Amino acid sequence: MLKKQRKILIFIIFLMITCFVALIWLSCDQIKLQKKQRQHVDYTYKNFAANNKSVTDGVIILAYHRILKDSVTTSVAQKVSQNPQLHEYNVNESKFVKQMAWLKNNSSVWSMATFLNKVQDNDIKGKHVVITFDDIDTTLPRNVAPVMSDKKIPYTMFVITGKVGQNMDGEQMASWQQLKQLAKNPLVDVGLHTHKLHYQENNQPILSTNHISKQRMIADYKKSYQTLQQKMQVKPTVFAYPYGSKNKNLTHYMAGHGMQGIFLLEPGIITNDLANIKKGIPRFIVTNSNFNALQLWLEN
């Protein structure tokens, strides 16, 4: 081997080792941030049914993000990675199908319109469920829509209008064409999930920090509202906070400018006579392992 070729080979090997070390470092750093975030969020909902057995009239809102196909790739990724996109924010397709089958056969699933009307009239009797999806990546048209259409289950999708058709955190967002096709189903409602404020700084949702002004938040909300109207010819009436983190100023503005329901990601049951509940509606993040805890409350 010529001297020049040896130098090139050594350089390539050095570059590969450097990149490998950098990837390990970044991965470890990301896992630390994710663990820090999960320390104050309990997605198991352990003892939820027992703690709420006296509540016989109420609604729980289920929040899904993505539904991945059951595959070797997904299985391996979930075992080797602590990325919340594969755990807290994903439900495998086989489990999702079983969850929807159980709800269809054993529970009352309300549309968003029914839910808002019932809350407005303080007319919640019995136990009910509302199903929502955040972000709306391509797993929704591929893996969710066929199941929901087949079982005739209503649901609401919260769209990040500034990310439609783009790649976000390694996930491909659904296109406008796909969203329009989904919205043709009368069982599907469409809501807002901000325009371009779906991100974090120092592991904190940007909307829960003081890093952006009230004016910028309102401008983003207006842009999101207008974009959804223009692209899909719908008038949204519901909004879901990214990462579930509420902002007092933005909530006050939205409640007076079109939003009939503003959703969080905090567990809780919606019952009659809860003051201002439409300004901070709780939702349960559904994972691969916590549906049974919610099921226990619904069936008892």
Side-chain angles (χ1 to χ4, degrees), residues 59-63 108-120 129-134 153-158 186-192 235-240 259-264 270 277-278 281-283:
V59 184
I60 58 173
I61 317 290
L62 307 185
S108 166
V109 182
W110 279 353
S111 68
M112 182 59 69
T114 298
F115 167 71
L116 293 174
N117 288 335
K118 293 289 187 179
V119 172
Q120 181 67 34
V129 174
V130 175
I131 299 173
T132 66
F133 294 85
D134 287 6
I153 298 176
Y155 63 95
T156 298
M157 53 184 187
F158 290 108
L187 294 174
V188 177
D189 288 298
V190 188
L192 303 176
K235 187 176 181 180
T237 60
V238 287
F239 175 95
M259 292 299 101
Q260 297 176 22
I262 298 169
F263 293 77
L264 311 178
I270 300 94
I277 187 62
K278 288 188 176 183
I281 302 170
R283 292 188 297 162

Side-chain angles (χ1 to χ4, degrees), residues 38-229:
R38 290 200 296 269
Q39 282 175 354
H40 49 268
V41 180
D42 180 13
Y43 294 120
T44 65
Y45 308 134
K46 185 179 179 180
N47 300 323
F48 167 71
N51 293 338
N52 293 280
K53 61 182 179 181
S54 63
V55 182
T56 57
D57 300 311
V59 184
I60 58 173
I61 317 290
L62 307 185
Y64 291 90
H65 285 76
R66 58 192 47 83
I67 308 299
L68 293 176
K69 289 278 189 184
D70 295 83
S71 67
V72 174
T73 301
T74 300
S75 178
V76 171
Q78 288 173 328
K79 289 178 180 178
V80 303
S81 174
Q82 296 298 314
N83 190 326
Q85 301 300 329
L86 294 169
H87 297 279
E88 284 87 347
Y89 301 133
N90 168 63
V91 174
N92 287 3
E93 185 183 33
S94 60
K95 292 192 175 182
F96 176 75
V97 171
K98 290 179 181 178
Q99 291 170 9
M100 293 305 105
W102 187 90
L103 289 173
K104 179 67 176 180
N105 296 325
N106 300 280
S107 187
S108 166
V109 182
W110 279 353
S111 68
M112 182 59 69
T114 298
F115 167 71
L116 293 174
N117 288 335
K118 293 289 187 179
V119 172
Q120 181 67 34
D121 297 337
N122 287 323
D123 190 29
I124 298 174
K125 299 173 183 177
K127 296 180 179 181
H128 310 274
V129 174
V130 175
I131 299 173
T132 66
F133 294 85
D134 287 6
D135 304 347
I136 317 307
D137 66 12
T138 55
T139 66
L140 196 142
R142 288 201 314 266
N143 307 333
V144 173
V147 177
M148 307 302 269
S149 295
D150 177 64
K151 299 185 182 304
K152 295 181 173 56
I153 298 176
Y155 63 95
T156 298
M157 53 184 187
F158 290 108
V159 180
I160 309 172
T161 54
K163 292 292 185 179
V164 172
Q166 299 179 26
N167 187 286
M168 189 183 79
D169 298 329
E171 302 294 333
Q172 181 62 37
M173 299 294 107
S175 66
W176 284 115
Q177 182 178 0
Q178 289 174 313
L179 294 175
K180 289 177 184 178
Q181 188 63 35
L182 290 168
K184 287 181 180 179
N185 186 335
L187 294 174
V188 177
D189 288 298
V190 188
L192 303 176
H193 203 32
T194 80
H195 186 64
K196 288 192 174 180
L197 294 181
H198 194 293
Y199 65 94
Q200 301 186 75
E201 285 188 357
N202 298 321
N203 212 39
Q204 290 294 321
I206 190 65
L207 286 174
S208 68
T209 70
N210 297 318
H211 298 169
I212 56 175
S213 66
K214 177 182 177 180
Q215 290 73 22
R216 184 182 168 193
M217 288 187 290
I218 292 174
D220 182 88
Y221 164 69
K222 288 181 176 179
K223 180 66 175 178
S224 184
Y225 191 99
Q226 293 165 359
T227 301
L228 199 60
Q229 273 194 308

Side-chain angles (χ1 to χ4, degrees), residues 17-32:
I17 293 173
T18 301
C19 291
F20 181 71
V21 171
L23 284 172
I24 292 176
W25 182 84
L26 288 172
S27 177
C28 291
D29 192 53
Q30 183 186 36
I31 290 171
K32 287 178 181 178

